[in-house]
Amino acid sequence: MLKSKLYLFVLILIIPGMYAQSPGNGYTDLVNPFIGTEGAGNTFPGAALPFGMVKLGPDSGDLLSNSGYVPDEDIKGFSHTHVSGTGGGAKYGNILVMPYTGPFELNGIRSAAANEKASPGYFSADLLDYDIKAQFTVSHRVGFHKYEFSGDATPGLLINAGSLLGEGHCCDENQELIGSEIQVISDSEIKGYSRVRGGWNKGGAYTVYFYAITDKPAISSATWKGEEISTTQKSRYNSGEKTGAFLEFDRNMKELNLKVGISFISSEKAKANLEKEVPHWDFEKLRQESSGKWEDMLNNIQVSTKNNDLKTIFYTALYHTMLMPTNRTGENPYWKSELPYYDDYYAIWDTYRATNPLLTLILPDRETQIVNSLLNIYQHEGYMPDSRSGNSTGRTQGGSNTDMVIADAILKGLEDIDYELAYEAMIQNAEIPPGGKQETNGRGGINKYIELGYVPAEYEPEKTDPSLHTPKLYDRAGTRTVEYAANDWAIAQVAKELGEEEAYKKYKKRASNWANLWRPVETEGVKGFIWPKRRDGSWVEDFSVEKYGSWGNFFYEANSWEYSFYVPQDVNSLIDSTGGKKEFIKRLDIFFENEHFKVDNEPSFFTPTLYTYAGYQYRTNERIRKIIEENYTAQRDGIPGNDDAGSMSAWLVFNSLGFYPNAGQDVYIITSPHFKEAILDIGNDKELILKAENLSDENIYIEKVLLNGSPLNRAWFRHSEIDEGGEMEFIMTSRPTDFGTKNLPPSLSDKGLK
């Protein structure tokens, strides 16, 4: 952590249903976990630690929400596993617990909620139907429940081993219960498991085991299987129907504490996790510890501004970048390894652009663990994953973007990584067809990409995939081609770092393959777009640059307006292809002003910085400010799209600090500083201090930048220039200047690059 901790003691106006004042009285007080729970954000509001395995929170409504939480809908219980910010079919929602009063009613236990509060590591709600105050906090693998009963009815506790999110979701993305088990061991102990498959990644089966202990004995208990309730059977197992148990307590009991340990190995391991991590019954002590761990994490960046809303937006965004992936080291049911094991990469197609570079910058040790986890998966399964959840790799959305993560790591000097092994994994992506797992591993259509220099529009399954008999028209051929080209540049850079000169030349050449799909058609006054091409080299005529795609289409989650800007490895060549800098700036202006820019999805993340590549940094600055001001707020709907494991949030963090990474490279583009001062802990007792002199609502433009007291004379910098810390000073003014008009950011095709 920073040697000189600058704590911000800020008086926060507590709005019912939005905040709970956390015990840390510091940066955690600036976090509002409800931001993103409404609108498109899909963020998880419950209790979790940084990268924690337990994510304990409410499951509401029809149980189709990705995060479990649906505002203003009845709560059906509080489960221990969730993801945050994701789209598509829901995942997890395992081991659901719900307190109640009065007689037990199978399938009828639910409650309206009020006074919901959340802070890092904590969640609470009043369950109105039962007069219960429910509070939750966590350790890494244990959920701690505290229930206060106000009424006179008999208190009860439901534990549902068969509950899950996403049953009945469309598009083959539903979760399906395979089996569950419940066993009442004593009047205060219950164990069991939930075994589930499916969800967004169409993943294989995963099992969540649990061990639960109450601090007071139950006076009676019962179990159920399907619709059958028994007061005599203490153990229930079923391969299809749900199982669970309910406990009833003394009518005079007013408080009940419950600890639930989970594991992906066994119930015994869940019990061991519980006993090791939370050997006491002190709820407030654990809450303080949880808040303290978040305080240490959030303290990695200290910002100074009088705008309290901006602080809340910023620290909530920083918080969201640390919820996933999930650290499950020691909890891998498939193999043992000395390397770390992380799950819930959901998905690297989203996170490689900003989240992974942010962790590389402020949590390099954590990012090192994440990279080693990817290599661990490669060693045992043959490919690094693009997405992975429930211990199952599934659904590569575009390119093999772990290549970008590896390049980012080696170029920015992360240590304790076997880069020879990483290079081997990258070559596996780039050269070996994934056979029957075209949508899961590596690069689908790689043989045709190697042969033709692009993935053709009439994409054919590899012959090694007998389950697919007919060609799929388009099937993300555009997305794959341009992303494979960027991935090839990542491989080229790693090859060069490792002294593989011939491989460097090979993949550098392949990094220009995006141009093979560049067609000089004109629309809205601009010329040239990425366009579908057949195997014989002819263009597909029935195509629109505005067609937004998904699975099976030419583009994934974007259109040609967006992907025709995606050449991060060689923006100079892209500018030339559009007709030069003047035409390129015109194209960018039309892109933004005619609303082709999609703020709610990742393919446009890097586009606002492209003005800087043409020498117009002030336009990058203006666009970034407008995007933030119009789309990010401190309200519950304050994230413009699916947060995607913190991706939308990481974009906000970087750009409000004043720079943004070109992922997979060691280059940062200067964007739009929003804080008068920011101090970043970049590891090993090193600090990067950012200052914006004269910053105000009027003074939003950059006159010049000083790096360690010397003029930078360009609107970009390399990681090596800040990796030892130092000070970067932005001198702000009220009008656009010539800052950034010379010494433009580097591109693959720069003269002198061999």
Side-chain angles (χ1 to χ4, degrees), residues 409-635:
I410 194 170
L411 294 173
K412 294 175 181 175
L414 292 190
E415 299 177 347
D416 300 320
I417 294 171
D418 185 344
Y419 285 111
E420 295 287 349
L421 178 64
Y423 178 64
E424 175 187 305
M426 297 170 88
I427 298 300
Q428 177 80 2
N429 286 336
E431 301 293 339
I432 308 301
K437 296 185 176 181
Q438 296 284 312
E439 198 177 272
T440 303
N441 291 325
R443 301 188 188 181
I446 188 61
N447 280 347
K448 289 297 182 184
Y449 175 82
I450 293 172
E451 175 189 345
L452 301 173
Y454 59 93
V455 179
E458 58 293 56
Y459 165 67
E460 287 187 349
E462 304 293 342
K463 293 180 180 179
T464 53
D465 184 0
S467 67
L468 300 175
H469 304 292
T470 58
K472 291 184 177 181
L473 185 63
Y474 302 138
D475 201 20
R476 294 166 288 141
T479 293
R480 283 170 156 168
T481 297
V482 298
E483 291 192 10
Y484 291 177
N487 301 153
D488 284 336
W489 179 234
I491 298 174
Q493 292 175 97
V494 173
K496 190 169 187 178
E497 290 289 319
L498 297 178
E500 302 284 347
E501 287 299 322
E502 290 305 312
Y504 167 72
K505 294 176 183 177
K506 172 184 176 178
Y507 290 105
K508 178 189 174 186
K509 181 179 180 181
R510 274 175 46 169
S512 295
N513 279 346
W514 63 274
N516 294 327
L517 291 185
W518 188 264
R519 188 181 187 188
V521 294
E522 186 171 342
T523 184
E524 294 185 43
V526 300
K527 189 174 183 180
F529 288 89
I530 297 296
W531 199 275
K533 181 186 287 187
R534 298 184 182 89
R535 290 191 301 273
D536 63 7
S538 64
W539 298 106
V540 172
E541 297 299 335
D542 184 18
F543 182 73
S544 169
V545 297
E546 296 184 3
K547 180 175 174 54
Y548 188 88
S550 185
W551 303 105
N553 300 127
F554 185 62
F555 291 114
Y556 180 77
E557 294 194 1
N559 62 23
S560 192
W561 273 102
E562 295 173 275
Y563 263 111
S564 296
F565 281 118
Y566 188 77
V567 190
Q569 71 276 23
D570 199 359
V571 181
N572 278 357
S573 288
L574 176 63
I575 292 172
D576 290 342
S577 296
T578 63
K581 293 178 182 177
K582 183 177 179 181
E583 287 299 313
F584 188 67
I585 295 301
K586 171 186 170 184
R587 183 191 190 102
L588 281 167
D589 286 342
I590 290 172
F591 175 72
F592 284 101
E593 292 164 10
N594 290 6
E595 299 183 351
H596 298 299
F597 172 71
K598 300 294 191 299
V599 66
D600 60 350
N601 214 349
E602 284 77 11
S604 289
F605 268 20
F606 194 63
T607 310
T609 70
L610 297 182
Y611 284 100
T612 301
Y613 281 82
Y616 285 74
Q617 191 283 332
Y618 80 90
R619 298 291 283 142
T620 287
N621 190 329
E622 290 173 339
R623 293 297 182 195
I624 295 291
R625 284 188 171 273
K626 185 175 182 181
I627 293 167
I628 291 174
E629 290 168 6
E630 293 183 353
N631 297 281
Y632 288 85
T633 75
Q635 304 303 310

Side-chain angles (χ1 to χ4, degrees), residues 30 90 175 178 200 281 382 527 569 595 665 673 701 706:
L30 297 170
Q175 285 202 113
I178 299 174
W200 176 85
W281 285 103
K527 189 174 183 180
Q569 71 276 23
E595 299 183 351
Q665 302 181 35
Y701 297 100
L706 304 177

